[in-house]
Amino acid sequence: MAVGSAVAGCGGNPATDFCSSYGDAMHGLVVAARQYGANPANFSATYKSTMDSLGSVRTKAPDDKLRSAFDRSMFTFSVFDTEASLADLLSRADFSTNAVVLTCAEYGLDVTV
């Protein structure tokens, strides 16, 4: 099942809302990162908005396993000193090794960013 900017229904899976919300947030951030060269102000606004909303995304995690994966994935955002560097990484990132993507897959959910 694909999760991210498009979600197929999976009735009864408690991780669906969390994984979908995370995928949507990261998708929006990656899109803005890929447009950084043409519109750095948009990336800045998207980054701030995304970071402001991620606390509520984390609260959707139905268990400690998903919350822990979320916390590990958020470490990436703490190691960059400039938005340009972060945008560069996000625009080239392979999310297949992302902690949340891998953990959601264990729940049968495919997060695409």
Side-chain angles (χ1 to χ4, degrees):
M1 163 188 347
V3 177
S5 56
V7 179
C10 182
N13 189 331
T16 300
D17 190 28
F18 167 76
C19 294
S20 176
S21 295
Y22 178 83
D24 289 346
M26 291 302 108
H27 177 76
L29 197 53
V30 168
V31 168
R34 289 179 179 154
Q35 299 168 353
Y36 182 84
N39 195 348
N42 181 58
F43 176 77
S44 182
T46 301
Y47 175 72
K48 181 181 179 341
S49 174
T50 301
M51 291 299 109
D52 289 347
S53 70
L54 285 177
S56 64
V57 171
R58 187 183 188 278
T59 63
K60 294 178 180 185
D63 59 32
D64 287 338
K65 185 175 185 176
L66 284 166
R67 282 187 288 278
S68 177
F70 177 87
D71 293 343
R72 288 191 311 275
S73 73
M74 289 300 98
F75 175 75
T76 301
F77 297 103
S78 68
V79 297
F80 289 91
D81 57 349
T82 68
E83 287 182 353
S85 298
L86 178 59
D88 181 56
L89 171 80
L90 289 171
S91 67
R92 297 179 293 108
D94 173 7
F95 279 82
S96 67
T97 59
N98 176 281
V100 172
V101 171
L102 293 172
T103 305
C104 287
E106 293 176 21
Y107 288 79
L109 301 170
D110 213 11
V111 177
T112 57
V113 175

